[in-house]
Amino acid sequence: MSTAQLVLTLAGLGAGLWVLHWIGQALTQLLEALAVIAAVFVTVWLVAKGLYRAARLLLRWWRTTLTTAAVVVWCSWLGWVSLVVTLAVIGTGLVVWRLARREVFEPWVGRHLRSWWQRWTRYAPRAARWFRACGLTVPDPDTGITVQVNPFRRTAIRPRPQARPDQLPRIESVRSGASWDEVRVRLVPGQTPEEYDQAARALAVARGVARCQVREIGPRLVSIDFQRRNLLTDPVPCTALAPLAAVAGESVDLRRVWSGRTEYGTDWHQSLAGGHTLYAGATGAGKGSFCWAPLVSIAPAIQDGLVRVSGIDPKGMELAYGRQVFHRYAVTSKDALALLDDLIEGMEARKTEFAGRLRAIPATREHPWELLEFDEIGALLRYIGDRKTREAITDRVAVLTTQGRALGYTVRGYVQEPTKDTVPVRELFPRRACLRVAAKSHVAMVLGDHAYDRGAWANRIGESDPGVAYLFGEGIREPLRVRSAWVPDQTIKELEQFVTGAPIPAAAGQVLALPAPAAPTVEPAGGVA
């Protein structure tokens, strides 16, 4: 190679190295710029994400945020001693207010303080454990078993799943009333409200309460209600008849008749118009209270002729005690059939008179609302009388329950055994009430297939709680536990006098203690001298 070629070769190599060096510097500067941009971007992203999460938490727990901010500002400006003194004065004032005017304190302050206390001392720290124990989480799919092999041994390892926040239901809010806690829970993807219905009994045991009920609030929101206290342990007194003497029959609302109390401590009103009701319960469960309590409440309407009550009493005992209340009354199967025929005849007459004029007939003196009280309905539909008479009675009841709603007819039936064989027309009663029953299967027969899973535990009602029942059906989304007002025998006799226009006797006067009679003189044994 000549000298000239060597020089050219070295010059080319130098030029190439210079170009590579320049490219390297440019790439280095570009990468450094990209790294700075990435670092700034990541920093801004993390800061923004942190601020967003912090703001979200602050807004989500806004009460805690405002309280903490107020405490910090107070301590900074006035010191912690003044804060302690102020809190002591406020606490003392609240205690005095609660003791003096509890009915005012409870809705304004008490329920809010109790809700806050229950949430942060009971449900927030324990709910996650309850949900896991009751199977209300969404676990990861099974990843299988990993086997590790070495020259000395073989080891099988099953990875332990770690629960993530998105696998655990989240408590949205807690509302605590006088007897119930309402815990609203946000469901996680993969869950359904029916899973919580099936776990209601397990949740009640986990919480340590006797009753738990699940209500669906939204597509991903359910309310788990825990009953802390039973407000239906004491009998509920019925309506007093004396104040009803000044009430006009027209002012009685048949769609809102006071009948007792609910498990939430509120008044229970039921509708005697626009639907038929079937009451099922074992003997001694208190079905008589459900019959007489509404009749006492609508006594002015019965007296003024706006409501006409008929009674079918196969036992001849329950309704016979208030015989004068009933416009029609039957005991035997033949008399019951004649009574039902009379009702249907009147219904057909109304149908002919009002067809094409009205869709629903209002209660008037010319056309009063016909209320049929059918005690022990299963006896006449299944057991008493010949087969043709039983079938005829069944047909009449079916006609009344399918056509009587718009024509001003209401049927209320009472049965001990709610099977389909005993009450073939069971499905024609849109409203149901299940009192104490002997078997869990009876609850499903009366209230529906999923009523027990949703908290209608009628088979667990004690014998010491007559008049307690679960309601489910038309107008009621979740099972509701109620206790009907207790009507004593004296009130039934007063109801007879009220509806017939006879004066109601005043309350019994004071009972005076009379002196004990003198001891009889004991004569000596033997004959007359």
Side-chain angles (χ1 to χ4, degrees), residues 23 122 184 349 393 428:
I23 295 174
R122 183 175 297 274
R184 297 198 172 188
I393 293 176
L428 299 181

Side-chain angles (χ1 to χ4, degrees), residues 419-461:
T419 60
K420 193 71 173 179
D421 293 336
T422 305
V423 189
V425 293
R426 185 181 66 193
E427 302 300 330
L428 299 181
F429 290 86
R431 300 168 185 162
R432 317 278 184 83
C434 188
L435 290 79
R436 174 175 53 84
V437 291
K440 176 181 175 181
S441 60
H442 288 178
V443 179
M445 295 178 186
V446 180
L447 303 180
D449 294 335
H450 302 289
Y452 187 88
D453 295 334
R454 303 179 80 167
W457 302 336
N459 60 316
R460 300 176 58 195
I461 299 176

Side-chain angles (χ1 to χ4, degrees), residues 94 187 215 252 324 389 414 434 523:
L94 292 177
L187 276 63
R215 296 181 293 116
V252 176
Q324 301 301 320
T389 304
Y414 307 85
C434 188
E523 298 182 355

Side-chain angles (χ1 to χ4, degrees), residues 65 82 130 153-154 236 354 360 367 382 405-406 442 444 495 527:
T65 302
S82 61
W130 296 346
R153 62 179 179 177
R154 179 183 301 170
V236 179
F354 293 98
H367 301 92
R382 175 65 177 172
R405 175 174 181 173
H442 288 178
L495 177 63

Side-chain angles (χ1 to χ4, degrees), residues 71-248:
V71 170
V72 172
V73 172
W74 188 299
C75 292
S76 300
W77 288 0
L78 304 177
W80 64 271
V81 177
S82 61
L83 177 62
V84 173
V85 173
T86 303
L87 292 178
V89 172
I90 294 175
T92 303
L94 292 177
V95 171
V96 173
W97 185 9
R98 184 181 185 278
L99 295 177
R101 298 290 302 276
R102 183 172 182 177
E103 68 280 1
V104 180
F105 173 85
E106 181 64 28
W108 286 95
V109 180
R111 63 187 182 92
H112 299 290
L113 292 178
R114 185 168 52 250
S115 300
W116 177 83
W117 179 262
Q118 290 287 348
R119 174 167 188 169
W120 296 112
T121 62
R122 183 175 297 274
Y123 294 108
R126 305 179 187 180
R129 185 170 69 252
W130 296 346
F131 292 150
R132 292 192 184 96
C134 298
L136 295 177
T137 59
V138 180
D140 288 325
D142 190 2
T143 57
I145 299 176
T146 302
V147 179
Q148 295 181 353
V149 181
N150 56 47
F152 301 99
R153 62 179 179 177
R154 179 183 301 170
T155 306
I157 300 176
R158 180 184 293 274
R160 176 177 297 179
Q162 298 293 332
R164 301 190 308 270
D166 60 344
Q167 296 176 322
L168 192 64
R170 187 180 66 192
I171 295 179
E172 293 289 332
S173 64
V174 175
R175 296 177 59 187
S176 184
S179 60
W180 284 80
D181 288 342
E182 177 185 302
V183 184
R184 297 198 172 188
V185 177
R186 178 72 60 180
L187 276 63
V188 297
Q191 288 186 327
T192 61
E194 287 73 18
E195 296 179 17
Y196 288 79
D197 289 336
Q198 297 175 0
R201 185 72 180 276
L203 288 170
V205 174
R207 172 63 173 83
V209 297
R211 179 158 157 72
C212 173
Q213 179 174 298
V214 178
R215 296 181 293 116
E216 183 177 358
I217 306 298
R220 292 184 56 193
L221 188 66
V222 299
S223 176
I224 306 175
D225 300 343
F226 297 99
Q227 184 187 49
R228 301 191 324 273
R229 291 195 304 135
N230 184 9
L231 300 181
L232 300 180
T233 55
D234 298 328
V236 179
C238 68
T239 304
L241 282 170
L244 296 179
V247 178

Side-chain angles (χ1 to χ4, degrees), residues 230-238 258-270 284-286 289-290 293 435 461-471 480-486:
N230 184 9
L231 300 181
L232 300 180
T233 55
D234 298 328
V236 179
C238 68
W258 186 89
S259 304
R261 303 281 288 178
T262 71
E263 58 186 338
Y264 298 99
T266 59
D267 290 333
W268 170 46
H269 298 85
Q270 64 172 318
S289 298
F290 287 88
L435 290 79
I461 299 176
E463 295 184 0
S464 60
D465 296 325
V468 176
Y470 288 90
L471 307 180
L480 177 65
R481 196 165 66 102
V482 299
R483 184 159 193 168
S484 180
W486 178 66

